[in-house]
Amino acid sequence: MAESIKLAYFMAVKEGASYLGGLLVTDTSGIPLDFRYTEPITPTHLQSILYGKSLEPHLKEEVIQKTLLKELKTPPDLFILSATELAGGWSGDAKCPVLAVQKSQETPLVKVGTTFRAGPRDILLQLAEGAAPLRVMFAASVDAAAQEQAMAKLLEAGYHMDLTEPLERVTVALQSLVVKGS
Amino acid sequence: MFGRVRGAMADAAETLRRAFAGLTVVTVVPEPFHVGSRRGKLLAVNPRPGLDLLAAMGRGTRLFHDGVPCQVLPPFEAKLQAEAGWAHWGTEAEVVRMTPLEPGRAARITVPPLPRQARTLGRVEPPACPGTRRIADPLVPPGTRRLDPRLTEVNALAGLEAILGLPIPIRAEDIQRLPKGLWMRYSLQLVRGTGENVRNLEVLGLFRIPRKGVSDLRHDPRQSRILIRLEASSVRAPREPFILARRKDDGALLSCFVEGS
């Protein structure tokens, strides 16, 4: 069962005046199954003026994310992005639960697998014995039932891998690709 | 008394006699009455040039170099003035006889016509006559241009090889959670695979990694994990349990794939 779970990690970065994004699909061990990235997008000065503050969200959600999701042959089970992106009001149209995972400083929960709902979209998940629980934040589009299903998948994957680490890997990969391109 | 009156009367009579003694009769021939026709002065337009030529006038100001100028009075000349009227004034009188006016003599006055056109004289051309030029080219109406603000779609590129080259952390599985029989089988396979005595081996962890395509493997004892680098062939390779162990006597690392459950 665990082998069938696919986690998609999305990250969009800004390098200079260009934006580019990457989507890493891993199995529950964190081993890459697929990785797609976009070419750097450099908005013109006029586009920057016309779009204003909505330029970056539009680029990340409407341009980069949609382009990368279209490239995937099979939809992932979970769409994971950074907590910053999710807190900014993610409005993408991923067909799977969209969430963010973050290491917390909370006291450990009773036992591994225990969850604590800190808010309607904020849940703490104990993955390892004695360690701080993982903070899971869901997008507004994910209802409670979908959250429960997603938590079960996260618990299964978290037994084998560090759920927060692949996002760092995507960032490093994108930065190395930018350096190669320049 | 009467004598004095008589003398006074005589003096008066003498005076009157003398006054009217030389009375002459003068016949004054009246001049014919002429009605003179006087031609009126023609109406004339005195044109003045509209623009007076600019003429520079030099006015000199004599400075008071030679002193204060003063008006020299002409010398007084003595002139003898006499009034002869008083000498001629006498007691004579003239009788003027006026002839009566004669009717029927009159002159016709013709009124000259007004000039139909006023002549302009002394017309002075302006010193400069600026020519006017017409700009034939009308202003071109501005064209509207449309700029599509949409951001161009980007291409997604496959970069799996790029990310496989990065170290991938693999967390060790909790051996205590494995069934005891399964772990015993794994231990036996480890001894067979390494050829070492089980007492001389320290198991560092059980990891599930691709059966092939692992190009690099490093152990991270602080976090009980291994860092592996993969090749493209690892993507489709099956994940197999992999045991990493350390030899106790020299600290060398030993590893082997064990049979999956």
Side-chain angles (χ1 to χ4, degrees), chain B residues 38-44 112 114:
Chain B
R38 292 174 182 245
R39 299 189 64 176
K41 200 172 181 180
L42 289 177
L43 292 174
L114 288 169

Side-chain angles (χ1 to χ4, degrees), chain B residues 50-73:
Chain B
L51 293 172
D52 291 334
L53 286 176
L54 296 173
M57 264 178 76
R59 291 175 184 270
T61 301
R62 188 185 178 93
L63 298 177
F64 297 151
H65 290 299
D66 300 327
V68 179
C70 61
Q71 187 176 5
V72 179
L73 295 174

Side-chain angles (χ1 to χ4, degrees), chain B residues 166-228:
Chain B
L166 297 175
I168 302 168
I170 304 292
R171 183 180 290 177
E173 293 186 13
D174 188 4
I175 297 173
Q176 304 300 325
R177 292 181 61 183
L178 292 175
K180 207 165 188 178
L182 182 62
W183 176 241
M184 290 292 288
R185 199 168 69 191
Y186 284 169
S187 299
L188 186 60
Q189 289 181 3
L190 175 64
V191 171
R192 284 182 185 171
T194 59
E196 292 290 333
N197 188 346
V198 69
R199 296 179 184 274
N200 194 30
L201 291 176
E202 180 191 4
V203 176
L204 298 176
L206 173 68
F207 308 92
R208 291 190 181 274
I209 62 174
R211 180 78 181 182
K212 59 180 181 179
V214 178
S215 61
D216 188 21
L217 188 149
R218 294 174 189 275
H219 181 236
D220 182 7
R222 288 186 300 176
Q223 298 189 38
S224 300
R225 65 179 188 176
I226 56 172
L227 298 170
I228 58 173

